[in-house]
Amino acid sequence: MDKLLIKGGVSLQGEIRIAGAKNSALPILASTLLTHETVQVCNLPHLFDITTMIELLGCMGVEPVIDEKLNVEVNSSTIKHFSAPYELVKTMRASILVLGPLLARYGEAEVALPGGCAIGSRPVNLHISALQEMGADIVVEDGYIKASVDGRLKGAHIFMDIVTVTGTENVMMAATLADGVTIIENAAREPEVVDLANCLVKMGAIISGQGSDTLTITGVQELFGCSYSVMPDRIETGTYLIAAAATRGHIKVKDTRPDILEAVLSKLEQAGADIKVGDNWIELNMHGKRPKSVSLRTAPYPAFPTDMQAQFTALNAVADGTGSITETVFENRFMHVHEMNRMGADIAVEGNTVIVKGVDTLKGAPVMATDLRASASLIIAGLVSENETIVDRIYHIDRGYECIEEKLQLLGATIRRVPS
Ligand code: UD1
């Protein structure tokens, strides 16, 4: 298993480009199952999770074609099986996103039931109950969600008990081909849900309310091919900005979108960052100063994203003052805290809150990544440490960050991948 070796103490400086958003690319790739025509997906990030989704389409008999610009063309008319096997679902929970499209277009789907993961139990009960309300017959048997429907799904009025991102996406995709109108209340407002909706509309779907908590989808008989470019990754953007703030640096991130990062940019300003934005770029300058502690609470968009909680914990670990961070989306998302304490951080976990007392500097240590965003936070901790940090189990990071060591090297960091 590869490791990352980081020599800390360098202030990040320079410019990098942001990749396409993983969490928007995955549902968009799944949505290609809704039409027999060819969908071209552009600006796909080069990530392990994307490869897994392409492999998943492949094992159903669909043969995505990748061109030299890494655009992917998917024509799902060769599909033979309507199932997502456990071997793939266990490596990527987002495989559940094929459930809605398969059921809506082919009337049947078998998707391995994702288990719990490092950050929480993560059930998919709301995906299942919403599809049942739309007329699907669903049983969970032998570790699989087995779903079928006689004829078309039917439009329904669905209230989501909890805001769920992939749940909203699954139901929205299914509703595009249902008979009648579907209303999803308490829908997720995340920009990636909006990006998927925009792609579906380009394929001929009738959707309104994207970006609000009520989505209205009028089912159509069929969807068509199109070419769609995935939006920039706001979590990747935020991660580099936080790394720059923690290291007292000055960076510019390009090909991104400041308008969907307001909660994060406002916390970075509170931490003392000088921030300038243009249409598609963000510049952060700490003027060499130590960051100030910030307190925050994660919640669904437009509030502060849970996917950026661990990175801010790393920033607070070396900031001036004490900050509290409350996690309200997942029940067990503090695994990184124990690793940071091994590096000399002073962080106490109290229920779903961590109290972070900033220390002058961390000390490098061998640490272990437990999930995707925790890995990013340990890299940030390594960048602000004296001497050397080795981050183990970095396959987590390759799921969601494109060429992370190359991008950090471009910003001046001393980081390299060490094969085991
Ligand atoms: C998506 C993102 C992930 C992000 C998360 C929250 C993708 C591929 N992943 O994950 O990066 O951290 O949103 O912003 O887009 N829940 C239920 N029942 C359900 C579904 C969800 O109880 O049927 C709960 C979850 O356990 C969790 C909360 O709802 O506590 C939110 O989860 P959800 O938004 O569904 O997360 P994902 O869509 O899996």
Side-chain angles (χ1 to χ4, degrees), residues 23 94 122-127 162-166 306-307 329-330 333:
N23 285 354
R122 302 185 78 175
V124 289
N125 57 312
L126 299 173
H127 302 232
I162 301 175
V163 177
T164 155
V165 175
T166 49
T306 172
D307 283 352
V329 180
F330 291 109
R333 209 168 192 183

Side-chain angles (χ1 to χ4, degrees), residues 8 15 25 33 40 56 72 85 102 132 151 159 206 240 247 267 271 280 285 295 302 323 329 341 349 359 397 404 411:
E15 289 187 3
L33 292 168
Q40 183 192 40
L56 175 56
V72 169
L102 285 176
Q132 282 170 329
F159 183 87
I206 303 173
Y240 286 107
T247 60
K267 288 294 165 193
N280 66 349
N285 192 348
S295 292
V329 180
N341 281 343
V349 182
V359 295
I397 206 115
I404 191 160
L411 297 175

